[in-house]
Amino acid sequence: ERVTGTVTLDGQPIANARVQFVPDKLKGTEGAMAAATTDAAGKYELETATVKGAIVGHHKVSVEARAQPKDQYDTLPELLTPASYADHNTSGLTAEVVAGQANVIDLSLKSMP
């Protein structure tokens, strides 16, 4: 199913963030993970390795945005989003993809205190 949305951090859109939806039923091609990178306005549209969209069902979600590399040796640039959001097991973000609906799933992240 088609899945779109906007990613924000403290109300501001995040550009170039990697969004991943990992289905609870992750097995073979039936339970494919879906991913996208946000545009300048924080908008994304998921796709799997083979199709646009995500499989129907419950997903754990991760979001990770990093600064531009400082130089060619900067292989792991600074995180722009809190580290806990980078792992779908610790992000606390979940989503339900529903069959036959326009799945608009906005992700509102908060800076950690």
Side-chain angles (χ1 to χ4, degrees):
E1 294 296 317
R2 185 166 184 238
V3 179
T4 61
T6 303
V7 179
T8 58
L9 177 63
D10 298 328
Q12 298 301 310
I14 305 173
N16 298 313
R18 184 77 175 152
V19 178
Q20 289 188 316
F21 277 46
V22 180
D24 287 353
K25 299 176 187 135
L26 186 60
K27 60 179 188 298
T29 55
E30 302 236 346
M33 181 177 67
T37 301
T38 59
D39 66 13
K43 298 202 177 302
Y44 72 92
E45 181 170 356
L46 290 177
E47 54 186 55
T48 68
T50 55
V51 295
K52 279 200 178 289
I55 68 164
V56 170
H58 188 266
H59 296 255
K60 289 180 180 173
V61 179
S62 66
V63 179
E64 180 179 47
R66 292 189 176 271
Q68 291 298 314
K70 294 179 186 72
D71 55 40
Q72 66 195 33
Y73 305 108
D74 189 7
T75 57
L76 201 59
E78 171 191 6
L79 266 174
L80 300 176
T81 48
S84 62
Y85 289 120
D87 183 331
H88 66 272
N89 288 311
T90 61
S91 71
L93 301 171
T94 60
E96 191 73 31
V97 177
V98 181
Q101 288 190 14
N103 289 278
V104 178
I105 301 172
D106 294 332
L107 301 167
S108 301
L109 313 184
K110 303 234 178 290
S111 294
M112 301 301 165

XYZ file of all heavy atoms in Angstrom:
827
model
N 0.831 -1.192 0.000
C 0.000 0.000 0.000
C 0.870 1.249 0.000
O 1.941 1.256 0.603
C -0.911 0.022 1.229
C -1.947 -1.067 1.253
C -2.956 -0.983 0.126
O -3.450 0.112 -0.207
O -3.224 -2.038 -0.480
N 0.394 2.301 -0.629
C 1.142 3.550 -0.677
C 1.192 4.175 0.718
O 0.185 4.202 1.425
C 0.456 4.513 -1.653
C 1.223 5.782 -1.851
C 0.711 6.547 -3.057
N 1.551 7.729 -3.256
C 1.087 8.954 -3.268
N -0.203 9.202 -3.133
N 1.901 9.973 -3.426
N 2.385 4.635 1.118
C 2.563 5.286 2.420
C 3.382 6.553 2.207
O 4.477 6.519 1.655
C 3.288 4.383 3.446
C 3.477 5.118 4.767
C 2.521 3.084 3.663
N 2.807 7.678 2.636
C 3.501 8.957 2.573
C 3.377 9.638 3.926
O 2.588 9.226 4.768
C 2.895 9.884 1.489
O 1.525 10.140 1.834
C 2.975 9.266 0.107
N 4.157 10.696 4.119
C 4.061 11.441 5.361
C 5.143 12.492 5.437
O 5.897 12.712 4.485
N 5.190 13.144 6.589
C 6.173 14.191 6.849
C 6.863 13.879 8.167
O 6.214 13.457 9.130
C 5.488 15.571 6.936
O 4.773 15.802 5.728
C 6.497 16.687 7.132
N 8.181 14.099 8.196
C 8.958 13.902 9.422
C 9.356 15.264 9.960
O 9.905 16.092 9.225
C 10.227 13.060 9.158
C 11.031 12.897 10.436
C 9.856 11.700 8.581
N 9.061 15.493 11.242
C 9.457 16.747 11.889
C 10.200 16.442 13.184
O 9.989 15.402 13.808
C 8.229 17.629 12.213
O 7.330 16.891 13.052
C 7.510 18.085 10.953
N 11.059 17.371 13.572
C 11.751 17.322 14.857
C 11.438 18.627 15.559
O 11.768 19.696 15.053
C 13.258 17.157 14.673
C 14.094 17.157 15.966
C 13.719 15.978 16.854
C 15.572 17.127 15.651
N 10.751 18.524 16.691
C 10.312 19.712 17.435
C 9.533 20.674 16.527
O 9.679 21.884 16.591
C 11.504 20.430 18.077
C 12.219 19.545 19.090
O 11.543 18.712 19.739
O 13.442 19.662 19.218
N 8.712 20.089 15.632
C 7.843 20.891 14.777
C 8.478 21.373 13.481
O 7.791 21.936 12.637
N 9.779 21.142 13.294
C 10.467 21.583 12.075
C 10.712 20.390 11.153
O 11.153 19.342 11.617
C 11.816 22.234 12.430
C 11.688 23.484 13.287
C 10.856 24.565 12.608
O 11.092 24.908 11.469
N 9.871 25.071 13.329
N 10.447 20.541 9.838
C 10.681 19.419 8.929
C 12.161 19.035 8.876
O 13.032 19.893 9.013
C 10.218 19.942 7.569
C 9.994 21.390 7.720
C 9.944 21.721 9.177
N 12.422 17.749 8.705
C 13.796 17.241 8.630
C 14.058 16.777 7.197
O 13.354 15.894 6.694
C 14.013 16.045 9.570
C 13.624 16.394 10.997
C 15.454 15.574 9.518
C 13.671 15.214 11.920
N 15.081 17.349 6.568
C 15.471 16.940 5.221
C 16.500 15.814 5.298
O 17.246 15.708 6.266
C 16.065 18.127 4.467
N 16.516 14.976 4.268
C 17.500 13.886 4.130
C 17.511 12.913 5.311
O 18.568 12.394 5.674
C 18.910 14.447 3.907
C 18.983 15.244 2.626
O 18.519 14.797 1.587
N 19.541 16.433 2.701
N 16.351 12.694 5.912
C 16.249 11.698 6.987
C 15.902 10.351 6.370
O 15.081 10.267 5.450
C 15.176 12.102 7.992
N 16.515 9.305 6.871
C 16.220 7.944 6.411
C 15.096 7.394 7.282
O 15.242 7.300 8.510
C 17.478 7.085 6.545
C 17.315 5.700 6.007
C 17.396 5.719 4.494
N 17.346 4.348 3.990
C 16.877 4.036 2.808
N 16.440 4.973 2.004
N 16.856 2.787 2.409
N 13.980 7.046 6.661
C 12.815 6.494 7.354
C 12.717 5.022 6.981
O 12.796 4.675 5.797
C 11.520 7.215 6.907
C 10.300 6.621 7.589
C 11.616 8.708 7.168
N 12.556 4.142 7.989
C 12.399 2.720 7.715
C 11.195 2.175 8.473
O 11.028 2.462 9.659
C 13.644 1.926 8.129
C 14.829 2.185 7.239
C 15.982 1.248 7.531
O 16.313 1.016 8.685
N 16.589 0.719 6.490
N 10.369 1.415 7.771
C 9.244 0.706 8.360
C 9.601 -0.777 8.338
O 9.827 -1.345 7.272
C 7.964 0.920 7.548
C 7.231 2.201 7.851
C 7.895 3.410 7.947
C 5.855 2.194 8.019
C 7.212 4.595 8.210
C 5.161 3.369 8.285
C 5.840 4.561 8.386
N 9.659 -1.407 9.517
C 9.986 -2.830 9.621
C 8.719 -3.555 10.083
O 8.257 -3.354 11.206
C 11.141 -3.067 10.625
C 11.452 -4.555 10.721
C 12.375 -2.270 10.211
N 8.145 -4.397 9.210
C 6.891 -5.073 9.584
C 7.122 -6.102 10.687
O 8.193 -6.702 10.768
C 6.440 -5.747 8.282
C 7.679 -5.879 7.463
C 8.591 -4.749 7.866
N 6.101 -6.280 11.528
C 6.173 -7.305 12.575
C 6.379 -8.679 11.953
O 7.058 -9.535 12.509
C 4.895 -7.314 13.414
C 4.811 -6.099 14.335
O 5.794 -5.330 14.411
O 3.766 -5.922 14.980
N 5.787 -8.884 10.765
C 5.900 -10.178 10.072
C 6.998 -10.076 9.026
O 6.726 -10.091 7.835
C 4.581 -10.541 9.410
C 3.443 -10.690 10.384
C 2.143 -10.956 9.648
C 0.994 -10.944 10.621
N -0.146 -10.196 10.163
N 8.241 -9.966 9.462
C 9.377 -9.829 8.543
C 9.836 -11.220 8.116
O 10.492 -11.924 8.862
C 10.514 -9.063 9.217
C 11.710 -8.710 8.337
C 11.274 -7.848 7.169
C 12.763 -7.970 9.126
N 9.430 -11.618 6.902
C 9.849 -12.931 6.395
C 9.821 -12.906 4.873
O 8.812 -12.547 4.260
C 8.958 -14.038 6.933
C 7.497 -13.897 6.570
C 6.697 -15.059 7.127
C 5.272 -15.073 6.623
N 4.466 -13.937 6.977
N 10.915 -13.264 4.268
C 10.985 -13.355 2.816
C 10.508 -12.094 2.126
O 10.604 -11.000 2.661
N 9.963 -12.249 0.937
C 9.494 -11.080 0.186
C 8.128 -10.628 0.669
O 7.699 -9.531 0.373
C 9.420 -11.396 -1.319
O 8.601 -12.554 -1.489
C 10.789 -11.646 -1.897
N 7.430 -11.487 1.410
C 6.099 -11.131 1.895
C 6.164 -10.059 2.982
O 5.245 -9.276 3.120
C 5.397 -12.361 2.465
C 5.268 -13.456 1.451
C 3.842 -13.903 1.249
O 2.999 -13.557 2.079
O 3.588 -14.582 0.260
N 7.234 -10.056 3.756
C 7.350 -9.110 4.854
C 8.495 -8.164 4.651
O 9.347 -8.011 5.511
N 8.542 -7.543 3.490
C 9.677 -6.694 3.155
C 9.668 -5.380 3.934
O 8.626 -4.767 4.121
C 9.687 -6.407 1.663
N 10.859 -4.979 4.356
C 11.041 -3.682 4.986
C 10.859 -2.602 3.908
O 11.214 -2.811 2.753
C 12.452 -3.628 5.558
C 12.787 -2.351 6.265
S 14.462 -2.465 6.958
C 15.426 -2.535 5.474
N 10.316 -1.452 4.298
C 10.135 -0.339 3.364
C 10.919 0.858 3.891
O 11.066 1.034 5.101
C 8.659 0.018 3.237
N 11.438 1.680 2.974
C 12.266 2.808 3.385
C 12.087 3.978 2.431
O 11.582 3.828 1.314
C 13.730 2.391 3.440
N 12.543 5.140 2.892
C 12.519 6.353 2.072
C 13.462 7.365 2.688
O 13.866 7.243 3.847
C 11.113 6.936 2.014
N 13.806 8.381 1.910
C 14.580 9.520 2.398
C 13.725 10.758 2.223
O 13.123 10.948 1.155
C 15.909 9.658 1.623
O 16.642 8.442 1.803
C 16.735 10.814 2.153
N 13.663 11.588 3.261
C 12.809 12.773 3.191
C 13.396 13.826 2.257
O 14.612 13.924 2.094
C 12.597 13.403 4.584
O 13.874 13.759 5.130
C 11.889 12.444 5.526
N 12.497 14.635 1.683
C 12.935 15.743 0.839
C 13.143 16.987 1.703
O 13.088 16.917 2.936
C 11.938 15.989 -0.297
C 10.561 16.471 0.187
O 10.409 16.854 1.372
O 9.624 16.476 -0.643
N 13.371 18.126 1.081
C 13.674 19.361 1.816
C 12.541 19.784 2.742
O 12.763 20.452 3.750
C 13.999 20.481 0.831
N 11.305 19.373 2.426
C 10.146 19.727 3.254
C 9.823 18.642 4.277
O 8.802 18.712 4.958
C 8.936 19.988 2.361
N 10.696 17.630 4.398
C 10.476 16.554 5.359
C 9.515 15.485 4.880
O 9.126 14.604 5.634
N 9.121 15.531 3.600
C 8.140 14.574 3.082
C 8.831 13.309 2.569
O 9.944 13.361 2.076
C 7.334 15.204 1.952
C 6.548 16.421 2.427
C 5.386 16.723 1.524
C 4.551 17.875 2.026
N 4.002 17.700 3.340
N 8.124 12.176 2.711
C 8.658 10.898 2.245
C 7.565 10.068 1.592
O 6.376 10.286 1.830
C 9.303 10.109 3.393
C 8.298 9.534 4.375
C 7.791 8.248 4.199
C 7.842 10.269 5.466
C 6.860 7.722 5.082
C 6.916 9.745 6.352
C 6.429 8.467 6.155
O 5.500 7.949 7.022
N 7.979 9.103 0.757
C 7.090 8.074 0.222
C 7.848 6.754 0.261
O 8.909 6.622 -0.343
C 6.652 8.381 -1.208
C 5.719 7.316 -1.747
C 5.058 7.666 -3.078
O 5.266 8.783 -3.572
O 4.336 6.805 -3.606
N 7.299 5.802 1.013
C 7.985 4.519 1.214
C 8.020 3.665 -0.035
O 7.119 3.727 -0.876
C 7.283 3.716 2.315
C 7.405 4.239 3.735
C 6.601 3.359 4.676
C 8.842 4.325 4.187
N 9.071 2.843 -0.128
C 9.125 1.791 -1.132
C 9.954 0.640 -0.585
O 10.813 0.823 0.270
C 9.659 2.286 -2.462
C 10.994 2.973 -2.416
C 11.360 3.568 -3.781
O 10.576 4.347 -4.322
O 12.439 3.209 -4.276
N 9.641 -0.564 -1.085
C 10.444 -1.738 -0.743
C 11.446 -1.928 -1.878
O 11.504 -1.126 -2.805
C 9.566 -3.005 -0.598
O 9.054 -3.354 -1.881
C 8.431 -2.793 0.392
N 12.187 -3.015 -1.844
C 13.155 -3.287 -2.907
C 12.454 -3.497 -4.254
O 13.056 -3.303 -5.292
C 13.981 -4.517 -2.554
N 11.181 -3.870 -4.216
C 10.494 -4.220 -5.460
C 9.312 -3.335 -5.822
O 8.951 -3.251 -6.984
C 9.997 -5.681 -5.406
O 9.185 -5.845 -4.235
C 11.164 -6.654 -5.352
N 8.668 -2.693 -4.845
C 7.464 -1.898 -5.152
C 7.415 -0.612 -4.325
O 8.025 -0.519 -3.257
C 6.166 -2.702 -4.859
C 6.045 -3.895 -5.761
C 6.079 -3.108 -3.413
N 6.651 0.360 -4.837
C 6.386 1.563 -4.048
C 5.378 1.199 -2.970
O 4.421 0.478 -3.225
C 5.812 2.679 -4.924
C 6.864 3.416 -5.699
C 6.332 4.763 -6.128
C 7.366 5.570 -6.858
N 8.439 6.056 -6.020
N 5.602 1.696 -1.754
C 4.666 1.434 -0.668
C 5.253 0.521 0.389
O 6.462 0.298 0.438
N 4.376 0.023 1.250
C 4.762 -0.878 2.339
C 3.693 -1.950 2.466
O 2.561 -1.752 2.032
C 4.885 -0.101 3.650
N 4.060 -3.092 3.075
C 3.067 -4.143 3.245
C 2.053 -3.736 4.318
O 2.353 -2.946 5.216
C 3.703 -5.511 3.575
C 4.348 -5.496 4.952
C 4.673 -5.945 2.504
C 4.628 -6.893 5.481
N 0.865 -4.298 4.214
C -0.209 -4.029 5.165
C 0.147 -4.654 6.510
O 0.718 -5.734 6.565
C -1.537 -4.602 4.626
C -2.630 -4.558 5.681
C -1.949 -3.856 3.370
N -0.165 -3.942 7.587
C 0.048 -4.480 8.923
C 0.782 -3.502 9.825
O 0.979 -2.334 9.484
N 1.189 -4.016 10.981
C 1.855 -3.210 12.000
C 3.357 -3.168 11.739
O 3.956 -4.174 11.388
C 1.571 -3.809 13.382
C 2.050 -2.944 14.501
N 3.284 -3.110 15.090
C 1.475 -1.887 15.118
C 3.445 -2.196 16.032
N 2.367 -1.444 16.067
N 3.943 -1.980 11.902
C 5.373 -1.783 11.657
C 6.020 -1.053 12.833
O 5.393 -0.204 13.456
C 5.594 -0.893 10.423
C 5.097 -1.487 9.146
N 5.927 -2.006 8.197
C 3.843 -1.641 8.666
C 5.214 -2.448 7.173
N 3.941 -2.237 7.444
N 7.286 -1.380 13.084
C 8.126 -0.558 13.950
C 8.868 0.396 13.014
O 9.235 0.021 11.898
C 9.112 -1.414 14.739
C 8.448 -2.248 15.809
C 9.472 -3.067 16.561
C 8.795 -3.893 17.638
N 9.737 -4.824 18.267
N 9.090 1.623 13.471
C 9.627 2.662 12.600
C 10.915 3.239 13.180
O 11.028 3.435 14.391
C 8.583 3.798 12.425
C 9.115 4.904 11.537
C 7.272 3.239 11.875
N 11.879 3.509 12.305
C 13.094 4.213 12.715
C 13.292 5.421 11.810
O 12.867 5.426 10.657
C 14.318 3.298 12.649
O 14.593 2.927 11.314
N 13.921 6.456 12.369
C 14.245 7.673 11.615
C 15.651 8.100 12.006
O 15.978 8.165 13.196
C 13.263 8.829 11.926
C 13.640 10.083 11.154
C 11.826 8.434 11.644
N 16.476 8.389 11.004
C 17.846 8.817 11.276
C 18.236 9.888 10.270
O 18.133 9.679 9.064
C 18.792 7.623 11.157
C 20.237 7.974 11.429
C 21.143 6.748 11.322
O 21.026 5.992 10.346
O 21.957 6.563 12.224
N 18.662 11.035 10.772
C 19.188 12.093 9.901
C 20.583 12.441 10.391
O 20.826 12.551 11.591
C 18.290 13.326 9.945
N 21.486 12.605 9.447
C 22.878 12.936 9.777
C 23.305 14.197 9.037
O 22.797 14.502 7.966
C 23.817 11.785 9.420
C 23.606 10.574 10.311
C 24.672 9.523 10.118
N 24.496 8.425 11.062
C 25.032 8.398 12.279
N 25.782 9.388 12.702
N 24.814 7.375 13.084
N 24.276 14.887 9.620
C 24.853 16.081 8.990
C 25.602 15.662 7.724
O 25.949 14.490 7.550
C 25.802 16.769 9.968
N 25.861 16.615 6.862
C 26.689 16.340 5.681
C 28.098 15.984 6.152
O 28.598 16.588 7.098
C 26.745 17.582 4.774
C 25.418 17.905 4.099
C 24.951 16.784 3.182
O 25.714 16.243 2.400
N 23.681 16.433 3.303
N 28.754 15.035 5.498
C 30.128 14.687 5.898
C 31.048 15.906 5.792
O 30.931 16.701 4.858
C 30.540 13.615 4.884
C 29.262 13.110 4.307
C 28.279 14.226 4.393
N 31.950 16.039 6.773
C 32.890 17.169 6.766
C 33.928 17.020 5.662
O 34.391 17.981 5.087
C 33.590 17.269 8.123
C 32.658 17.624 9.262
C 33.431 17.671 10.585
C 32.523 17.886 11.751
N 31.692 16.726 12.087
N 34.316 15.752 5.391
C 35.287 15.474 4.334
C 35.154 14.005 3.950
O 34.292 13.300 4.475
C 36.716 15.796 4.792
C 37.098 15.072 6.073
O 36.729 13.883 6.234
O 37.769 15.684 6.930
N 36.010 13.529 3.075
C 35.889 12.152 2.584
C 36.153 11.109 3.653
O 35.792 9.956 3.505
C 36.842 11.934 1.408
C 38.321 12.027 1.816
C 39.229 12.171 0.614
O 38.854 12.784 -0.376
N 40.424 11.602 0.700
N 36.791 11.511 4.763
C 37.095 10.563 5.837
C 35.993 10.515 6.896
O 36.039 9.686 7.788
C 38.425 10.925 6.501
C 39.548 11.005 5.493
C 40.083 12.231 5.132
C 40.045 9.860 4.873
C 41.094 12.311 4.190
C 41.049 9.931 3.924
C 41.572 11.160 3.582
O 42.549 11.237 2.647
N 35.020 11.402 6.784
C 33.925 11.466 7.747
C 32.863 10.449 7.344
O 31.897 10.783 6.669
C 33.352 12.894 7.777
C 32.350 13.096 8.898
O 32.188 12.188 9.733
O 31.730 14.181 8.936
N 33.068 9.196 7.763
C 32.170 8.114 7.341
C 30.917 8.006 8.205
O 29.956 7.357 7.819
C 32.900 6.762 7.360
O 33.406 6.537 8.668
C 34.024 6.744 6.340
N 30.915 8.637 9.354
C 29.743 8.598 10.231
C 29.478 10.007 10.761
O 29.802 10.324 11.906
C 29.978 7.614 11.384
C 28.736 7.082 12.073
C 27.827 6.354 11.089
C 29.115 6.147 13.204
N 28.883 10.873 9.910
C 28.647 12.254 10.331
C 27.733 12.339 11.557
O 27.011 11.402 11.875
C 27.974 12.893 9.117
C 28.237 11.973 7.984
C 28.411 10.608 8.567
N 27.755 13.504 12.188
C 26.978 13.762 13.405
C 25.492 13.516 13.181
O 24.922 13.890 12.163
C 27.216 15.226 13.800
C 26.336 15.727 14.903
C 26.420 17.245 15.072
O 27.065 17.931 14.276
O 25.790 17.710 16.028
N 24.858 12.869 14.165
C 23.407 12.653 14.132
C 22.681 13.979 14.335
O 23.039 14.758 15.216
C 22.990 11.700 15.249
C 22.889 10.229 14.931
C 22.617 9.435 16.199
C 21.838 9.941 13.893
N 21.640 14.216 13.521
C 20.815 15.413 13.682
C 19.517 15.084 14.414
O 18.803 15.979 14.849
C 20.494 16.019 12.312
C 21.712 16.450 11.492
C 21.280 16.941 10.124
C 22.510 17.511 12.227
N 19.210 13.798 14.515
C 18.031 13.344 15.248
C 18.516 12.570 16.474
O 19.606 12.003 16.450
C 17.164 12.428 14.360
O 17.995 11.451 13.739
C 16.426 13.221 13.295
N 17.726 12.538 17.551
C 18.142 11.776 18.734
C 18.443 10.320 18.384
O 17.726 9.695 17.601
C 16.934 11.889 19.665
C 16.293 13.194 19.269
C 16.469 13.258 17.777
N 19.505 9.771 18.959
C 19.990 8.427 18.628
C 18.936 7.346 18.848
O 18.894 6.357 18.114
C 21.249 8.118 19.439
N 18.063 7.514 19.826
C 17.072 6.463 20.109
C 16.134 6.229 18.935
O 15.621 5.124 18.758
C 16.264 6.820 21.355
O 15.545 8.016 21.152
N 15.907 7.241 18.084
C 15.012 7.081 16.934
C 15.651 6.273 15.803
O 14.977 5.825 14.891
C 14.596 8.441 16.369
C 13.652 9.214 17.254
C 13.990 10.464 17.743
C 12.393 8.711 17.589
C 13.121 11.199 18.545
C 11.522 9.425 18.389
C 11.885 10.663 18.864
O 11.020 11.382 19.649
N 16.972 6.086 15.832
C 17.684 5.424 14.730
C 17.479 3.912 14.712
O 17.761 3.264 13.718
C 19.176 5.759 14.799
N 16.991 3.326 15.808
C 16.774 1.879 15.893
C 15.276 1.626 16.057
O 14.660 2.129 16.995
C 17.548 1.316 17.088
C 17.428 -0.200 17.208
O 16.399 -0.775 16.782
O 18.357 -0.812 17.744
N 14.712 0.841 15.162
C 13.262 0.596 15.222
C 12.837 -0.117 16.506
O 11.674 -0.061 16.877
C 12.772 -0.164 13.982
C 13.294 -1.552 13.865
N 14.485 -1.853 13.235
C 12.805 -2.739 14.313
C 14.691 -3.146 13.282
N 13.704 -3.714 13.935
N 13.779 -0.760 17.195
C 13.438 -1.431 18.450
C 13.388 -0.478 19.643
O 12.788 -0.801 20.660
C 14.420 -2.566 18.732
C 14.208 -3.734 17.800
O 13.084 -4.189 17.618
N 15.275 -4.201 17.184
N 14.034 0.699 19.532
C 14.067 1.634 20.661
C 13.378 2.966 20.363
O 13.248 3.799 21.249
C 15.517 1.948 21.072
O 16.198 2.549 19.963
C 16.261 0.703 21.518
N 12.932 3.149 19.121
C 12.394 4.461 18.735
C 11.069 4.787 19.413
O 10.740 5.951 19.596
C 12.198 4.534 17.215
O 11.104 3.706 16.821
N 10.296 3.763 19.751
C 8.961 3.999 20.290
C 7.973 4.394 19.204
O 6.806 4.669 19.492
N 8.420 4.434 17.941
C 7.556 4.804 16.826
C 6.977 3.548 16.181
O 7.709 2.614 15.874
C 8.344 5.583 15.767
C 9.012 6.879 16.223
C 9.932 7.406 15.124
C 7.965 7.915 16.590
N 5.663 3.536 15.997
C 5.009 2.435 15.307
C 4.003 3.009 14.319
O 3.611 4.177 14.424
C 4.279 1.490 16.286
O 3.279 2.238 16.985
C 5.241 0.845 17.266
N 3.599 2.186 13.363
C 2.626 2.618 12.367
C 1.810 1.427 11.906
O 2.304 0.296 11.890
C 3.332 3.260 11.180
N 0.591 1.689 11.530
C -0.297 0.658 11.003
C -0.597 1.010 9.546
O -1.143 2.083 9.269
C -1.602 0.622 11.811
C -2.472 -0.563 11.521
C -1.938 -1.878 12.088
O -1.271 -1.866 13.135
O -2.185 -2.914 11.457
N -0.201 0.130 8.629
C -0.487 0.336 7.212
C -1.767 -0.431 6.898
O -1.859 -1.634 7.140
C 0.679 -0.148 6.323
C 0.340 0.000 4.851
C 1.950 0.637 6.657
N -2.778 0.288 6.379
C -4.107 -0.271 6.168
C -4.357 -0.467 4.673
O -4.053 0.415 3.869
C -5.180 0.664 6.778
C -6.568 0.082 6.595
C -4.891 0.915 8.255
N -4.930 -1.606 4.323
C -5.225 -1.915 2.923
C -6.299 -0.979 2.380
O -7.248 -0.635 3.083
C -5.694 -3.360 2.792
N -6.118 -0.561 1.128
C -7.145 0.211 0.440
C -7.324 1.635 0.923
O -8.329 2.260 0.619
N -6.393 2.158 1.691
C -6.504 3.528 2.185
C -5.287 4.336 1.791
O -4.224 3.780 1.518
C -6.607 3.554 3.716
C -7.917 3.061 4.249
C -8.050 3.332 5.743
O -7.296 4.089 6.328
N -9.020 2.693 6.361
N -5.455 5.663 1.764
C -4.305 6.553 1.606
C -3.632 6.604 2.972
O -4.161 7.209 3.900
C -4.765 7.936 1.177
N -2.522 5.937 3.110
C -1.813 5.876 4.384
C -0.883 7.079 4.497
O 0.205 7.076 3.923
C -1.014 4.579 4.483
C -1.902 3.360 4.670
O -2.327 3.063 5.762
N -2.193 2.670 3.576
N -1.348 8.119 5.205
C -0.518 9.293 5.458
C -0.077 9.196 6.907
O -0.895 9.308 7.825
C -1.285 10.609 5.199
C -0.413 11.802 5.525
C -1.760 10.664 3.754
N 1.226 8.933 7.102
C 1.752 8.691 8.448
C 2.833 9.726 8.733
O 3.959 9.620 8.244
C 2.286 7.258 8.570
C 1.153 6.260 8.272
C 2.878 7.025 9.952
C 1.573 4.811 8.165
N 2.444 10.760 9.481
C 3.388 11.803 9.870
C 4.133 11.355 11.127
O 3.539 10.764 12.029
C 2.669 13.121 10.132
C 2.043 13.698 8.865
O 2.571 13.432 7.761
O 1.044 14.414 8.971
N 5.417 11.633 11.164
C 6.258 11.231 12.292
C 6.787 12.495 12.977
O 7.562 13.242 12.395
C 7.418 10.365 11.800
C 6.979 9.081 11.067
C 8.155 8.447 10.347
C 6.331 8.103 12.026
N 6.328 12.731 14.201
C 6.724 13.921 14.964
C 7.726 13.532 16.036
O 7.361 12.940 17.044
C 5.497 14.561 15.621
O 4.562 14.921 14.634
N 8.997 13.837 15.790
C 10.051 13.509 16.731
C 10.265 14.673 17.697
O 9.986 15.821 17.373
C 11.371 13.241 15.999
C 11.321 12.308 14.785
C 12.721 12.072 14.254
C 10.645 10.991 15.117
N 10.758 14.343 18.872
C 11.063 15.366 19.882
C 12.516 15.226 20.320
O 13.019 14.124 20.449
C 10.157 15.194 21.096
C 8.684 15.235 20.768
C 7.958 16.256 21.604
C 6.494 16.368 21.297
N 6.160 16.937 20.036
N 13.163 16.369 20.537
C 14.512 16.332 21.086
C 14.455 15.773 22.492
O 13.515 16.048 23.229
C 15.107 17.740 21.141
O 15.294 18.228 19.859
N 15.436 14.987 22.837
C 15.465 14.444 24.193
C 15.950 15.534 25.140
O 16.799 16.333 24.757
C 16.391 13.235 24.259
C 15.986 12.115 23.330
S 14.322 11.525 23.686
C 13.967 10.580 22.220
N 15.408 15.560 26.370
C 15.832 16.618 27.307
C 17.299 16.528 27.669
O 17.885 15.494 27.589
C 14.958 16.375 28.546
C 14.271 15.075 28.344
C 14.433 14.669 26.920
